[in-house]
Amino acid sequence: MNTQNIFFRFIFIILFSVYSSSISYSKDIIKIGTLLPYSGVYTVLGEEITNAMSLAFDEIGNKINGNTIEIIKGDTEVKPNIALQKSRKLISSDKVDILVGPVSSSVALALRDIVVQTKTPLIIPNAGANVLTDEKCSKFITRISFSNYQINAPMGSWLANQGIKTAFLLAPNYAAGKEMMNAFKEKFTEAGGAILGEEYTPFRKTKDFGPYLARVKESGADAVYVFYAGGEAINFIKQAHSFGLSKVMKLTGAGWTTSPLFLPAQKDAAIGFIGSLNYVPSIDTEANKIFINSYKSKFGRIPSEFAVQGYDSGKVIIEAIKSLSGDVTNKDNLAEAIRTVSINGPRGPLTIDKKTNNVIQNIYIFEVIAGEKGPELKVLDTIKAVKAPGKKCNI
Ligand code: PHB
């Protein structure tokens, strides 16, 4: 063989191997199915989570180890039966590798068995239903958001220690509303507080909070403790303000009620509300500043805790798949890789409790104050490294 021939053979082998490796990469698609609300009362939450998760993927050019990330959206409509139908499609027809969702606790409870039975790793970017990281926990379910207990129990002790002696509870009538009020009640009464009454408003249907506000006022409690989100949070805060409730008692509750996502609509009506959350935009870290800037430049506003939960879901997916060198074929390995990730994100260090698969994180107690550019959350206290109890779970 002459030198020219050897040279051409050599070039051919190189070109062929580059070509074949590009084929094997380009046909490998990592499919991420979302089960989030893109219609109904929690639409803005679902969109915020999806936007921020896409931002995390955009930052790495939408590829992990050469595999292209594809997001396939499933709209839960905040309805358990619809979400279950959509999950069947995503799992059986689309053959997604990972599911991300949902927002609502009732929807999460409906999805639990199908993801466990089909061994489809589920990353929960919001829904707080306690049992999913307690008696119904599974290594295929990793929650990077919060448990309903984790956010609300600290508020029970904190408000009682601030001298609030009596409270009235108000929340939507579904799993999350009940669990949040129970967590608050447990710690508030343990610290010597008394509950003077509680009301649960029809979920997704209540537009007029007038009759409830009247009963809250009549109770004569020191504080009302509420949970609302989405359209319900906006309506509740505006109506409580017109009603003058803050003139007779303290407005307190689960912090989503005055999330930075709803503040632009609630405006000054939210001022004075005291709540707790797993993220506030004022967290003074490099990681948070970078995140806020890139979120702002892409979406034109500051991110909320829902955005952080979506962004962290994206980051967890990226790190988990990288740790497997891009191989997502073995679902047991994938689930294990997801729960082993620890990242330093906008809310600070994020680790997953190995016993329950629920995130361990700081809880921020804040007050809504009038800032230069409108209402903002001022941190009053930080409760460090809060875990969800999950006594009946041992993964
Ligand atoms: C829930 O249903 O678990 C839920 C929904 C919205 C929130 C928080 C929790 O803001």
Side-chain angles (χ1 to χ4, degrees), residues 30 90 113 140 171 177 210 216 219 223 229-230 233 286 323 341 353 355 367 376:
I30 291 169
L90 288 170
D113 287 350
F140 292 99
V216 170
S219 76
E286 216 29 52
S323 78
V341 168
D353 189 341
K355 196 171 145 291
E367 178 171 2
E376 58 185 53

Side-chain angles (χ1 to χ4, degrees), residues 102-122:
V103 158
S104 152
S105 283
S106 312
V107 171
L109 294 171
L111 294 174
R112 192 263 173 204
D113 287 350
I114 189 164
V115 300
V116 175
Q117 280 156 13
T118 59
K119 292 187 162 196
T120 310
L122 173 74

Side-chain angles (χ1 to χ4, degrees), residues 131-175:
V131 291
L132 294 179
T133 48
D134 203 332
E135 58 262 53
K136 294 211 155 199
C137 70
S138 157
K139 75 167 184 176
F140 292 99
I141 301 175
T142 305
R143 179 154 49 199
I144 60 101
S145 50
F146 52 83
S147 85
N148 290 326
Y149 188 91
Q150 196 179 22
I151 300 279
N152 290 274
M155 279 292 276
S157 336
W158 195 87
L159 283 177
N161 292 336
Q162 295 294 307
I164 301 283
K165 292 195 167 53
T166 55
F168 193 101
L169 312 180
L170 192 63
N173 191 6
Y174 80 105

Side-chain angles (χ1 to χ4, degrees), residues 40 89 147 204 219 250 265 299 313:
K89 176 202 167 268
S147 85
R204 300 189 284 118
S219 76
K250 220 50 213 148
F299 302 108
S313 302

Side-chain angles (χ1 to χ4, degrees), residues 322-362:
K322 270 190 188 163
S323 78
L324 298 170
S325 307
D327 180 4
V328 293
T329 45
N330 183 316
K331 299 291 179 228
D332 288 278
N333 292 350
L334 184 54
E336 195 54 41
I338 290 171
R339 69 190 220 99
T340 319
V341 168
S342 71
I343 54 173
N344 207 349
R347 64 181 125 161
L350 182 152
T351 51
I352 311 290
D353 189 341
K354 291 293 155 316
K355 196 171 145 291
T356 62
N357 269 11
N358 192 79
V359 60
I360 304 173
Q361 60 192 339
N362 292 348

Side-chain angles (χ1 to χ4, degrees), residues 234-256:
I234 295 169
N235 286 338
F236 173 79
I237 288 292
K238 282 184 170 171
Q239 291 176 27
H241 182 69
S242 316
F243 188 84
L245 195 61
S246 66
K247 294 199 181 87
V248 293
M249 65 177 67
K250 220 50 213 148
L251 259 63
T252 70
W256 304 286

